[in-house]
Amino acid sequence: MSASRSLDGQTALITGSTSGIGLQFAKGLAESGANIVLNGLGDEAEIEKTRAELASECGVEVRYHPANMLEPDEIAYMVAFAKSEFGRLDILVCNAGIQHVEKIEDFPKEKWDAIIAINLSSAFHAIKHAMPVMKAQGRGRIVNLASVHGLISSPFKSAYVAAKHGMVGLTKTVAQEGGEFGVTCNAICPGYVKTPLVEAQIPDQAKSRGISEEEVVEKVFLADTFTKKFTDYDQLVGLLRYLVSDAGASTTGVAIPVDGGWLTH
Ligand code: NAD
């Protein structure tokens, strides 16, 4: 997706940006001129390759911080790192997330704890440390990755649905506290996007529901959409660019579906 350099000189920190949606967000913001702090798990050499390519292709500075989203202290260091590397922090995207699909009676408590920590509490910790920096700048843009599952439920996703609903609530409170300081906070709520996280769910969903993998895509993932299509990365990047722009200054505290009409049912 082509972009103007409207974010030249800004700094963007994107959690969980070594894969999937987060990586595309990092690319989208880098193409618009922002310096980037990547974060996420993965092979060290692969991450370094991604970092170097992003920097050279987009003509921006790109750093990587390995903070584990299960560890509040590491998240605090990551935010401080972004500020100290670039002298400012303009954009925080809380995107890291994991999934586990199982009936509630069989749902492992370790999975519940990890999903709440990574998909919800990590955003709290990152925002807690980013907010003072953004308030002092008199401007900031916080974008939380929720999901349609921040607004409705699906079976076998108790922890994910709880965490994403929490993310929508957190978004509203942060927007309220940041508003008069020029800090906006919004939640993006995608329908299904074909990322490693979604690909990995197909066999689990087939098992939990007793249907084939093709039926999972047709009857579970896309059944309620008007478009009968997965949401694309570009459609999410387009919304992110709007939310972080000056034109997005009055859009705050909202949870925006990008779901092919799913929630309109
Ligand atoms: P993904 O698995 O491709 O990427 C997840 C990212 O989070 C990776 O970079 C991974 O390394 C990172 N991560 C996971 N655990 C971590 C930890 N402990 N510490 C640091 N980083 C960690 O997944 P995705 O589909 O791109 O999902 C990104 C976000 O979008 C998630 O919050 C997800 O819930 C949300 N979302 C995805 C979809 C979809 O259909 N793919 C739909 C709605 C919402």
Side-chain angles (χ1 to χ4, degrees), residues 15-23 39-42 66-71 94-99 118-119 145-149 160 164 167 188-198 201 230 233 236:
T15 72
S17 46
T18 52
S19 164
I21 296 168
L23 179 55
N39 159 261
L41 311 176
N68 186 334
M69 293 300 106
L70 289 165
E71 302 293 338
C94 299
N95 164 82
I98 60 168
Q99 176 62 284
I118 295 170
N119 295 22
L145 254 288
S147 163
V148 292
H149 289 118
Y160 189 85
K164 295 298 187 183
M167 199 69 144
I188 296 181
C189 299
Y192 284 102
V193 188
K194 253 197 170 178
T195 67
L197 179 140
V198 161
Q201 274 180 62
F230 283 95
Y233 288 133
L236 296 172

mmCIF file of all heavy atoms in Angstrom, residues 15-23 39-42 66-71 94-99 118-119 145-149 160 164 167 188-198 201 230 233 236, ligand 1:
data_model
loop_
_atom_site.group_PDB
_atom_site.id
_atom_site.type_symbol
_atom_site.label_atom_id
_atom_site.label_comp_id
_atom_site.label_asym_id
_atom_site.label_seq_id
_atom_site.Cartn_x
_atom_site.Cartn_y
_atom_site.Cartn_z
ATOM 1 N N THR A 15 3.605 -3.796 19.603
ATOM 2 C CA THR A 15 3.868 -5.074 20.281
ATOM 3 C C THR A 15 3.431 -6.216 19.366
ATOM 4 O O THR A 15 2.491 -6.079 18.576
ATOM 5 C CB THR A 15 3.148 -5.174 21.644
ATOM 6 O OG1 THR A 15 1.741 -5.334 21.441
ATOM 7 C CG2 THR A 15 3.408 -3.951 22.509
ATOM 8 N N GLY A 16 4.135 -7.346 19.473
ATOM 9 C CA GLY A 16 3.784 -8.504 18.639
ATOM 10 C C GLY A 16 3.905 -8.207 17.162
ATOM 11 O O GLY A 16 3.022 -8.535 16.380
ATOM 12 N N SER A 17 5.041 -7.590 16.771
ATOM 13 C CA SER A 17 5.164 -7.161 15.371
ATOM 14 C C SER A 17 6.191 -7.983 14.592
ATOM 15 O O SER A 17 6.714 -7.524 13.586
ATOM 16 C CB SER A 17 5.484 -5.661 15.306
ATOM 17 O OG SER A 17 6.494 -5.313 16.214
ATOM 18 N N THR A 18 6.452 -9.206 15.055
ATOM 19 C CA THR A 18 7.343 -10.091 14.296
ATOM 20 C C THR A 18 6.561 -10.999 13.350
ATOM 21 O O THR A 18 7.148 -11.824 12.655
ATOM 22 C CB THR A 18 8.168 -10.972 15.267
ATOM 23 O OG1 THR A 18 7.265 -11.619 16.180
ATOM 24 C CG2 THR A 18 9.161 -10.141 16.038
ATOM 25 N N SER A 19 5.233 -10.853 13.319
ATOM 26 C CA SER A 19 4.403 -11.782 12.530
ATOM 27 C C SER A 19 3.055 -11.118 12.251
ATOM 28 O O SER A 19 2.697 -10.134 12.886
ATOM 29 C CB SER A 19 4.218 -13.050 13.375
ATOM 30 O OG SER A 19 3.161 -13.849 12.901
ATOM 31 N N GLY A 20 2.334 -11.670 11.293
ATOM 32 C CA GLY A 20 0.921 -11.362 11.083
ATOM 33 C C GLY A 20 0.577 -9.875 10.996
ATOM 34 O O GLY A 20 1.257 -9.083 10.326
ATOM 35 N N ILE A 21 -0.490 -9.499 11.677
ATOM 36 C CA ILE A 21 -1.025 -8.133 11.606
ATOM 37 C C ILE A 21 -0.003 -7.113 12.138
ATOM 38 O O ILE A 21 0.201 -6.056 11.544
ATOM 39 C CB ILE A 21 -2.347 -8.042 12.409
ATOM 40 C CG1 ILE A 21 -3.422 -8.944 11.769
ATOM 41 C CG2 ILE A 21 -2.838 -6.604 12.495
ATOM 42 C CD1 ILE A 21 -4.657 -9.151 12.637
ATOM 43 N N GLY A 22 0.658 -7.440 13.231
ATOM 44 C CA GLY A 22 1.609 -6.499 13.833
ATOM 45 C C GLY A 22 2.743 -6.156 12.883
ATOM 46 O O GLY A 22 3.158 -4.988 12.786
ATOM 47 N N LEU A 23 3.236 -7.151 12.164
ATOM 48 C CA LEU A 23 4.315 -6.912 11.200
ATOM 49 C C LEU A 23 3.820 -6.011 10.059
ATOM 50 O O LEU A 23 4.528 -5.085 9.632
ATOM 51 C CB LEU A 23 4.841 -8.252 10.657
ATOM 52 C CG LEU A 23 5.955 -8.181 9.623
ATOM 53 C CD1 LEU A 23 7.157 -7.375 10.120
ATOM 54 C CD2 LEU A 23 6.411 -9.596 9.235
ATOM 55 N N ASN A 39 8.626 -5.612 18.236
ATOM 56 C CA ASN A 39 8.629 -6.480 19.421
ATOM 57 C C ASN A 39 7.956 -7.788 19.042
ATOM 58 O O ASN A 39 7.108 -7.806 18.156
ATOM 59 C CB ASN A 39 7.860 -5.780 20.570
ATOM 60 C CG ASN A 39 7.390 -6.774 21.616
ATOM 61 O OD1 ASN A 39 6.224 -7.194 21.622
ATOM 62 N ND2 ASN A 39 8.286 -7.166 22.475
ATOM 63 N N GLY A 40 8.314 -8.848 19.729
ATOM 64 C CA GLY A 40 7.632 -10.118 19.483
ATOM 65 C C GLY A 40 8.593 -11.277 19.608
ATOM 66 O O GLY A 40 9.800 -11.089 19.784
ATOM 67 N N LEU A 41 8.030 -12.467 19.525
ATOM 68 C CA LEU A 41 8.821 -13.682 19.646
ATOM 69 C C LEU A 41 9.280 -14.119 18.260
ATOM 70 O O LEU A 41 8.739 -13.657 17.261
ATOM 71 C CB LEU A 41 7.976 -14.791 20.286
ATOM 72 C CG LEU A 41 7.230 -14.425 21.568
ATOM 73 C CD1 LEU A 41 6.366 -15.599 22.025
ATOM 74 C CD2 LEU A 41 8.191 -13.986 22.667
ATOM 75 N N GLY A 42 10.255 -15.037 18.234
ATOM 76 C CA GLY A 42 10.666 -15.600 16.951
ATOM 77 C C GLY A 42 12.153 -15.831 16.882
ATOM 78 O O GLY A 42 12.893 -15.523 17.826
ATOM 79 N N PRO A 66 13.012 -7.230 22.746
ATOM 80 C CA PRO A 66 12.492 -8.593 22.924
ATOM 81 C C PRO A 66 11.547 -8.779 24.109
ATOM 82 O O PRO A 66 11.338 -9.917 24.546
ATOM 83 C CB PRO A 66 13.779 -9.402 23.156
ATOM 84 C CG PRO A 66 14.689 -8.444 23.852
ATOM 85 C CD PRO A 66 14.367 -7.072 23.322
ATOM 86 N N ALA A 67 10.977 -7.711 24.661
ATOM 87 C CA ALA A 67 10.136 -7.859 25.869
ATOM 88 C C ALA A 67 9.091 -8.963 25.688
ATOM 89 O O ALA A 67 8.403 -9.019 24.669
ATOM 90 C CB ALA A 67 9.433 -6.532 26.170
ATOM 91 N N ASN A 68 8.991 -9.792 26.713
ATOM 92 C CA ASN A 68 7.957 -10.825 26.741
ATOM 93 C C ASN A 68 6.697 -10.190 27.341
ATOM 94 O O ASN A 68 6.739 -9.644 28.449
ATOM 95 C CB ASN A 68 8.444 -11.993 27.610
ATOM 96 C CG ASN A 68 7.487 -13.158 27.571
ATOM 97 O OD1 ASN A 68 6.286 -12.987 27.336
ATOM 98 N ND2 ASN A 68 8.003 -14.341 27.803
ATOM 99 N N MET A 69 5.590 -10.275 26.636
ATOM 100 C CA MET A 69 4.353 -9.620 27.085
ATOM 101 C C MET A 69 3.756 -10.271 28.339
ATOM 102 O O MET A 69 2.773 -9.784 28.887
ATOM 103 C CB MET A 69 3.313 -9.590 25.962
ATOM 104 C CG MET A 69 3.690 -8.716 24.783
ATOM 105 S SD MET A 69 3.937 -6.980 25.217
ATOM 106 C CE MET A 69 5.706 -6.852 25.128
ATOM 107 N N LEU A 70 4.378 -11.350 28.799
ATOM 108 C CA LEU A 70 3.960 -11.950 30.079
ATOM 109 C C LEU A 70 4.633 -11.249 31.259
ATOM 110 O O LEU A 70 4.303 -11.531 32.411
ATOM 111 C CB LEU A 70 4.354 -13.435 30.113
ATOM 112 C CG LEU A 70 3.562 -14.373 29.206
ATOM 113 C CD1 LEU A 70 4.276 -15.718 29.066
ATOM 114 C CD2 LEU A 70 2.149 -14.584 29.756
ATOM 115 N N GLU A 71 5.609 -10.366 30.981
ATOM 116 C CA GLU A 71 6.469 -9.812 32.034
ATOM 117 C C GLU A 71 6.336 -8.288 32.124
ATOM 118 O O GLU A 71 6.932 -7.563 31.320
ATOM 119 C CB GLU A 71 7.944 -10.173 31.750
ATOM 120 C CG GLU A 71 8.234 -11.664 31.646
ATOM 121 C CD GLU A 71 8.041 -12.375 32.991
ATOM 122 O OE1 GLU A 71 8.095 -11.708 34.050
ATOM 123 O OE2 GLU A 71 7.810 -13.599 32.962
ATOM 124 N N CYS A 94 -0.949 -1.767 20.661
ATOM 125 C CA CYS A 94 -0.941 -2.959 21.533
ATOM 126 C C CYS A 94 -1.599 -4.091 20.758
ATOM 127 O O CYS A 94 -2.828 -4.181 20.683
ATOM 128 C CB CYS A 94 -1.693 -2.666 22.832
ATOM 129 S SG CYS A 94 -0.948 -1.321 23.771
ATOM 130 N N ASN A 95 -0.739 -4.907 20.149
ATOM 131 C CA ASN A 95 -1.222 -5.879 19.161
ATOM 132 C C ASN A 95 -0.947 -7.334 19.547
ATOM 133 O O ASN A 95 -1.638 -8.233 19.064
ATOM 134 C CB ASN A 95 -0.556 -5.555 17.813
ATOM 135 C CG ASN A 95 -0.673 -6.687 16.817
ATOM 136 O OD1 ASN A 95 -1.693 -6.828 16.151
ATOM 137 N ND2 ASN A 95 0.349 -7.536 16.720
ATOM 138 N N ALA A 96 0.042 -7.574 20.421
ATOM 139 C CA ALA A 96 0.434 -8.969 20.698
ATOM 140 C C ALA A 96 -0.773 -9.768 21.170
ATOM 141 O O ALA A 96 -1.607 -9.274 21.943
ATOM 142 C CB ALA A 96 1.528 -9.006 21.764
ATOM 143 N N GLY A 97 -0.871 -10.995 20.699
ATOM 144 C CA GLY A 97 -2.008 -11.808 21.125
ATOM 145 C C GLY A 97 -1.781 -13.271 20.801
ATOM 146 O O GLY A 97 -1.022 -13.611 19.894
ATOM 147 N N ILE A 98 -2.424 -14.120 21.606
ATOM 148 C CA ILE A 98 -2.416 -15.559 21.349
ATOM 149 C C ILE A 98 -3.852 -16.064 21.445
ATOM 150 O O ILE A 98 -4.753 -15.311 21.854
ATOM 151 C CB ILE A 98 -1.505 -16.323 22.352
ATOM 152 C CG1 ILE A 98 -1.976 -16.107 23.799
ATOM 153 C CG2 ILE A 98 -0.043 -15.914 22.179
ATOM 154 C CD1 ILE A 98 -1.324 -17.041 24.811
ATOM 155 N N GLN A 99 -4.038 -17.316 21.097
ATOM 156 C CA GLN A 99 -5.389 -17.881 21.075
ATOM 157 C C GLN A 99 -5.337 -19.299 21.624
ATOM 158 O O GLN A 99 -4.306 -19.979 21.507
ATOM 159 C CB GLN A 99 -5.902 -17.872 19.621
ATOM 160 C CG GLN A 99 -7.240 -18.494 19.379
ATOM 161 C CD GLN A 99 -8.379 -17.801 20.105
ATOM 162 O OE1 GLN A 99 -8.552 -17.959 21.320
ATOM 163 N NE2 GLN A 99 -9.163 -17.017 19.379
ATOM 164 N N ILE A 118 -1.258 -11.795 28.052
ATOM 165 C CA ILE A 118 -0.691 -11.296 26.782
ATOM 166 C C ILE A 118 -1.705 -10.425 26.039
ATOM 167 O O ILE A 118 -1.361 -9.354 25.523
ATOM 168 C CB ILE A 118 -0.230 -12.484 25.897
ATOM 169 C CG1 ILE A 118 0.931 -13.212 26.581
ATOM 170 C CG2 ILE A 118 0.166 -12.008 24.495
ATOM 171 C CD1 ILE A 118 1.313 -14.539 25.942
ATOM 172 N N ASN A 119 -2.963 -10.858 25.987
ATOM 173 C CA ASN A 119 -3.957 -10.152 25.153
ATOM 174 C C ASN A 119 -4.570 -8.942 25.850
ATOM 175 O O ASN A 119 -5.171 -8.108 25.189
ATOM 176 C CB ASN A 119 -5.096 -11.101 24.767
ATOM 177 C CG ASN A 119 -4.648 -12.238 23.866
ATOM 178 O OD1 ASN A 119 -3.474 -12.577 23.824
ATOM 179 N ND2 ASN A 119 -5.574 -12.841 23.157
ATOM 180 N N LEU A 145 -5.422 -3.661 19.624
ATOM 181 C CA LEU A 145 -6.005 -4.686 18.760
ATOM 182 C C LEU A 145 -6.973 -5.497 19.587
ATOM 183 O O LEU A 145 -6.569 -6.338 20.387
ATOM 184 C CB LEU A 145 -4.904 -5.569 18.175
ATOM 185 C CG LEU A 145 -4.632 -5.289 16.717
ATOM 186 C CD1 LEU A 145 -5.731 -5.786 15.808
ATOM 187 C CD2 LEU A 145 -4.453 -3.781 16.492
ATOM 188 N N ALA A 146 -8.255 -5.203 19.391
ATOM 189 C CA ALA A 146 -9.269 -6.065 20.008
ATOM 190 C C ALA A 146 -9.652 -7.077 18.933
ATOM 191 O O ALA A 146 -8.786 -7.715 18.324
ATOM 192 C CB ALA A 146 -10.438 -5.243 20.504
ATOM 193 N N SER A 147 -10.935 -7.197 18.650
ATOM 194 C CA SER A 147 -11.414 -8.227 17.709
ATOM 195 C C SER A 147 -12.930 -8.070 17.668
ATOM 196 O O SER A 147 -13.519 -7.449 18.566
ATOM 197 C CB SER A 147 -11.054 -9.605 18.275
ATOM 198 O OG SER A 147 -11.791 -10.630 17.645
ATOM 199 N N VAL A 148 -13.577 -8.662 16.680
ATOM 200 C CA VAL A 148 -15.042 -8.768 16.805
ATOM 201 C C VAL A 148 -15.367 -9.473 18.121
ATOM 202 O O VAL A 148 -16.420 -9.223 18.715
ATOM 203 C CB VAL A 148 -15.705 -9.524 15.630
ATOM 204 C CG1 VAL A 148 -15.611 -8.751 14.352
ATOM 205 C CG2 VAL A 148 -15.122 -10.902 15.442
ATOM 206 N N HIS A 149 -14.438 -10.297 18.601
ATOM 207 C CA HIS A 149 -14.668 -10.977 19.877
ATOM 208 C C HIS A 149 -14.463 -10.070 21.079
ATOM 209 O O HIS A 149 -14.548 -10.520 22.221
ATOM 210 C CB HIS A 149 -13.807 -12.249 19.950
ATOM 211 C CG HIS A 149 -14.316 -13.308 19.024
ATOM 212 N ND1 HIS A 149 -13.578 -13.800 17.973
ATOM 213 C CD2 HIS A 149 -15.525 -13.921 18.965
ATOM 214 C CE1 HIS A 149 -14.314 -14.695 17.310
ATOM 215 N NE2 HIS A 149 -15.496 -14.773 17.888
ATOM 216 N N TYR A 160 -10.119 -15.715 25.320
ATOM 217 C CA TYR A 160 -9.912 -14.721 24.254
ATOM 218 C C TYR A 160 -11.039 -13.686 24.259
ATOM 219 O O TYR A 160 -10.794 -12.468 24.200
ATOM 220 C CB TYR A 160 -9.845 -15.458 22.909
ATOM 221 C CG TYR A 160 -9.426 -14.617 21.730
ATOM 222 C CD1 TYR A 160 -8.082 -14.409 21.438
ATOM 223 C CD2 TYR A 160 -10.376 -14.043 20.888
ATOM 224 C CE1 TYR A 160 -7.694 -13.656 20.332
ATOM 225 C CE2 TYR A 160 -9.998 -13.293 19.787
ATOM 226 C CZ TYR A 160 -8.655 -13.100 19.511
ATOM 227 O OH TYR A 160 -8.277 -12.351 18.420
ATOM 228 N N LYS A 164 -10.548 -9.761 25.079
ATOM 229 C CA LYS A 164 -10.845 -8.753 24.047
ATOM 230 C C LYS A 164 -11.953 -7.804 24.507
ATOM 231 O O LYS A 164 -11.918 -6.603 24.183
ATOM 232 C CB LYS A 164 -11.194 -9.422 22.718
ATOM 233 C CG LYS A 164 -10.035 -10.208 22.100
ATOM 234 C CD LYS A 164 -8.830 -9.323 21.770
ATOM 235 C CE LYS A 164 -7.754 -10.059 20.999
ATOM 236 N NZ LYS A 164 -6.562 -9.233 20.747
ATOM 237 N N MET A 167 -10.207 -5.434 26.588
ATOM 238 C CA MET A 167 -9.436 -4.484 25.763
ATOM 239 C C MET A 167 -10.336 -3.316 25.330
ATOM 240 O O MET A 167 -9.885 -2.165 25.302
ATOM 241 C CB MET A 167 -8.905 -5.244 24.553
ATOM 242 C CG MET A 167 -7.771 -4.601 23.856
ATOM 243 S SD MET A 167 -6.270 -4.602 24.830
ATOM 244 C CE MET A 167 -5.056 -4.846 23.545
ATOM 245 N N ILE A 188 -9.212 -1.482 17.314
ATOM 246 C CA ILE A 188 -9.565 -2.052 16.011
ATOM 247 C C ILE A 188 -10.082 -3.470 16.255
ATOM 248 O O ILE A 188 -9.469 -4.245 17.001
ATOM 249 C CB ILE A 188 -8.331 -2.080 15.070
ATOM 250 C CG1 ILE A 188 -7.867 -0.647 14.770
ATOM 251 C CG2 ILE A 188 -8.667 -2.816 13.778
ATOM 252 C CD1 ILE A 188 -6.659 -0.561 13.826
ATOM 253 N N CYS A 189 -11.222 -3.768 15.637
ATOM 254 C CA CYS A 189 -11.879 -5.062 15.873
ATOM 255 C C CYS A 189 -11.999 -5.846 14.567
ATOM 256 O O CYS A 189 -13.064 -5.828 13.912
ATOM 257 C CB CYS A 189 -13.267 -4.832 16.468
ATOM 258 S SG CYS A 189 -13.228 -3.986 18.052
ATOM 259 N N PRO A 190 -10.931 -6.542 14.173
ATOM 260 C CA PRO A 190 -11.008 -7.285 12.916
ATOM 261 C C PRO A 190 -11.892 -8.520 13.028
ATOM 262 O O PRO A 190 -12.010 -9.112 14.101
ATOM 263 C CB PRO A 190 -9.555 -7.726 12.668
ATOM 264 C CG PRO A 190 -8.709 -7.004 13.653
ATOM 265 C CD PRO A 190 -9.600 -6.649 14.802
ATOM 266 N N GLY A 191 -12.504 -8.877 11.890
ATOM 267 C CA GLY A 191 -13.037 -10.230 11.732
ATOM 268 C C GLY A 191 -11.838 -11.136 11.464
ATOM 269 O O GLY A 191 -10.714 -10.804 11.851
ATOM 270 N N TYR A 192 -12.065 -12.244 10.796
ATOM 271 C CA TYR A 192 -10.948 -13.164 10.573
ATOM 272 C C TYR A 192 -9.982 -12.638 9.509
ATOM 273 O O TYR A 192 -10.407 -12.203 8.437
ATOM 274 C CB TYR A 192 -11.462 -14.537 10.174
ATOM 275 C CG TYR A 192 -12.012 -15.296 11.363
ATOM 276 C CD1 TYR A 192 -13.375 -15.391 11.582
ATOM 277 C CD2 TYR A 192 -11.149 -15.891 12.284
ATOM 278 C CE1 TYR A 192 -13.874 -16.067 12.687
ATOM 279 C CE2 TYR A 192 -11.637 -16.564 13.389
ATOM 280 C CZ TYR A 192 -13.007 -16.651 13.583
ATOM 281 O OH TYR A 192 -13.495 -17.319 14.674
ATOM 282 N N VAL A 193 -8.686 -12.679 9.844
ATOM 283 C CA VAL A 193 -7.607 -12.284 8.945
ATOM 284 C C VAL A 193 -6.720 -13.526 8.826
ATOM 285 O O VAL A 193 -6.445 -14.169 9.847
ATOM 286 C CB VAL A 193 -6.766 -11.134 9.557
ATOM 287 C CG1 VAL A 193 -5.779 -10.586 8.542
ATOM 288 C CG2 VAL A 193 -7.654 -10.047 10.134
ATOM 289 N N LYS A 194 -6.293 -13.863 7.622
ATOM 290 C CA LYS A 194 -5.505 -15.104 7.471
ATOM 291 C C LYS A 194 -4.075 -14.909 7.934
ATOM 292 O O LYS A 194 -3.180 -14.603 7.161
ATOM 293 C CB LYS A 194 -5.549 -15.582 6.021
ATOM 294 C CG LYS A 194 -6.409 -16.794 5.875
ATOM 295 C CD LYS A 194 -6.139 -17.516 4.586
ATOM 296 C CE LYS A 194 -6.863 -18.857 4.639
ATOM 297 N NZ LYS A 194 -6.718 -19.618 3.439
ATOM 298 N N THR A 195 -3.850 -15.063 9.222
ATOM 299 C CA THR A 195 -2.518 -14.937 9.819
ATOM 300 C C THR A 195 -2.150 -16.285 10.429
ATOM 301 O O THR A 195 -3.010 -17.170 10.538
ATOM 302 C CB THR A 195 -2.530 -13.887 10.946
ATOM 303 O OG1 THR A 195 -3.338 -14.408 12.000
ATOM 304 C CG2 THR A 195 -3.081 -12.556 10.483
ATOM 305 N N PRO A 196 -0.882 -16.440 10.892
ATOM 306 C CA PRO A 196 -0.511 -17.704 11.546
ATOM 307 C C PRO A 196 -1.444 -18.052 12.710
ATOM 308 O O PRO A 196 -1.777 -19.213 12.929
ATOM 309 C CB PRO A 196 0.916 -17.438 12.039
ATOM 310 C CG PRO A 196 1.453 -16.414 11.078
ATOM 311 C CD PRO A 196 0.281 -15.549 10.704
ATOM 312 N N LEU A 197 -1.934 -17.032 13.446
ATOM 313 C CA LEU A 197 -2.819 -17.281 14.587
ATOM 314 C C LEU A 197 -4.129 -17.932 14.144
ATOM 315 O O LEU A 197 -4.653 -18.829 14.808
ATOM 316 C CB LEU A 197 -3.086 -15.951 15.310
ATOM 317 C CG LEU A 197 -3.987 -15.907 16.527
ATOM 318 C CD1 LEU A 197 -3.419 -14.952 17.575
ATOM 319 C CD2 LEU A 197 -5.384 -15.445 16.161
ATOM 320 N N VAL A 198 -4.647 -17.506 13.011
ATOM 321 C CA VAL A 198 -5.909 -18.047 12.499
ATOM 322 C C VAL A 198 -5.694 -19.410 11.836
ATOM 323 O O VAL A 198 -6.466 -20.347 12.040
ATOM 324 C CB VAL A 198 -6.574 -17.034 11.544
ATOM 325 C CG1 VAL A 198 -7.597 -17.690 10.645
ATOM 326 C CG2 VAL A 198 -7.233 -15.938 12.369
ATOM 327 N N GLN A 201 -5.763 -22.152 14.210
ATOM 328 C CA GLN A 201 -7.047 -22.475 14.854
ATOM 329 C C GLN A 201 -7.875 -23.469 14.060
ATOM 330 O O GLN A 201 -8.786 -24.075 14.599
ATOM 331 C CB GLN A 201 -7.911 -21.213 14.904
ATOM 332 C CG GLN A 201 -7.708 -20.328 16.064
ATOM 333 C CD GLN A 201 -8.656 -19.148 15.908
ATOM 334 O OE1 GLN A 201 -9.868 -19.301 15.891
ATOM 335 N NE2 GLN A 201 -8.081 -17.977 15.783
ATOM 336 N N PHE A 230 -12.083 -13.078 3.963
ATOM 337 C CA PHE A 230 -11.252 -12.703 5.101
ATOM 338 C C PHE A 230 -10.977 -11.196 5.018
ATOM 339 O O PHE A 230 -10.969 -10.617 3.922
ATOM 340 C CB PHE A 230 -9.917 -13.456 5.061
ATOM 341 C CG PHE A 230 -10.022 -14.900 5.501
ATOM 342 C CD1 PHE A 230 -10.198 -15.920 4.570
ATOM 343 C CD2 PHE A 230 -9.938 -15.241 6.840
ATOM 344 C CE1 PHE A 230 -10.293 -17.249 4.973
ATOM 345 C CE2 PHE A 230 -10.031 -16.566 7.250
ATOM 346 C CZ PHE A 230 -10.211 -17.573 6.317
ATOM 347 N N TYR A 233 -4.896 -7.446 5.241
ATOM 348 C CA TYR A 233 -3.968 -6.574 5.967
ATOM 349 C C TYR A 233 -4.132 -5.109 5.560
ATOM 350 O O TYR A 233 -4.134 -4.214 6.403
ATOM 351 C CB TYR A 233 -2.525 -6.988 5.669
ATOM 352 C CG TYR A 233 -2.082 -8.292 6.295
ATOM 353 C CD1 TYR A 233 -1.411 -9.252 5.548
ATOM 354 C CD2 TYR A 233 -2.294 -8.548 7.644
ATOM 355 C CE1 TYR A 233 -0.969 -10.440 6.126
ATOM 356 C CE2 TYR A 233 -1.867 -9.736 8.226
ATOM 357 C CZ TYR A 233 -1.204 -10.674 7.456
ATOM 358 O OH TYR A 233 -0.763 -11.835 8.032
ATOM 359 N N LEU A 236 -6.777 -3.164 7.274
ATOM 360 C CA LEU A 236 -6.456 -2.816 8.671
ATOM 361 C C LEU A 236 -5.426 -1.694 8.726
ATOM 362 O O LEU A 236 -5.538 -0.769 9.540
ATOM 363 C CB LEU A 236 -5.933 -4.052 9.412
ATOM 364 C CG LEU A 236 -6.938 -5.189 9.559
ATOM 365 C CD1 LEU A 236 -6.264 -6.430 10.128
ATOM 366 C CD2 LEU A 236 -8.095 -4.780 10.448
HETATM 367 P P1 NAD B 1 0.218 -13.791 14.996
HETATM 368 O O1 NAD B 1 0.291 -15.077 15.756
HETATM 369 O O2 NAD B 1 0.556 -13.796 13.539
HETATM 370 O O3 NAD B 1 1.100 -12.674 15.704
HETATM 371 C C1 NAD B 1 1.105 -12.508 17.099
HETATM 372 C C2 NAD B 1 2.302 -11.683 17.505
HETATM 373 O O4 NAD B 1 2.308 -11.612 18.942
HETATM 374 C C3 NAD B 1 3.643 -12.316 17.096
HETATM 375 O O5 NAD B 1 4.558 -11.315 16.716
HETATM 376 C C4 NAD B 1 4.105 -12.992 18.374
HETATM 377 O O6 NAD B 1 5.500 -13.165 18.449
HETATM 378 C C5 NAD B 1 3.594 -12.001 19.401
HETATM 379 N N1 NAD B 1 3.528 -12.587 20.726
HETATM 380 C C6 NAD B 1 2.842 -13.675 21.154
HETATM 381 N N2 NAD B 1 3.111 -13.922 22.441
HETATM 382 C C7 NAD B 1 3.992 -12.982 22.850
HETATM 383 C C8 NAD B 1 4.653 -12.702 24.073
HETATM 384 N N3 NAD B 1 4.493 -13.465 25.150
HETATM 385 N N4 NAD B 1 5.488 -11.636 24.116
HETATM 386 C C9 NAD B 1 5.703 -10.867 23.029
HETATM 387 N N5 NAD B 1 5.096 -11.077 21.849
HETATM 388 C C10 NAD B 1 4.252 -12.127 21.765
HETATM 389 O O7 NAD B 1 -1.263 -13.264 15.245
HETATM 390 P P2 NAD B 1 -2.174 -12.167 14.479
HETATM 391 O O8 NAD B 1 -3.305 -12.913 13.892
HETATM 392 O O9 NAD B 1 -1.367 -11.266 13.644
HETATM 393 O O10 NAD B 1 -2.761 -11.387 15.733
HETATM 394 C C11 NAD B 1 -2.372 -10.063 16.093
HETATM 395 C C12 NAD B 1 -3.461 -9.449 16.958
HETATM 396 O O11 NAD B 1 -4.663 -9.312 16.185
HETATM 397 C C13 NAD B 1 -3.832 -10.310 18.174
HETATM 398 O O12 NAD B 1 -4.070 -9.473 19.284
HETATM 399 C C14 NAD B 1 -5.099 -10.994 17.722
HETATM 400 O O13 NAD B 1 -5.905 -11.380 18.806
HETATM 401 C C15 NAD B 1 -5.740 -9.884 16.900
HETATM 402 N N6 NAD B 1 -6.753 -10.372 15.958
HETATM 403 C C16 NAD B 1 -6.421 -11.266 14.981
HETATM 404 C C17 NAD B 1 -7.417 -11.690 14.117
HETATM 405 C C18 NAD B 1 -7.113 -12.655 13.015
HETATM 406 O O14 NAD B 1 -8.067 -13.105 12.360
HETATM 407 N N7 NAD B 1 -5.871 -12.997 12.743
HETATM 408 C C19 NAD B 1 -8.732 -11.238 14.249
HETATM 409 C C20 NAD B 1 -9.025 -10.341 15.262
HETATM 410 C C21 NAD B 1 -8.028 -9.913 16.112
#
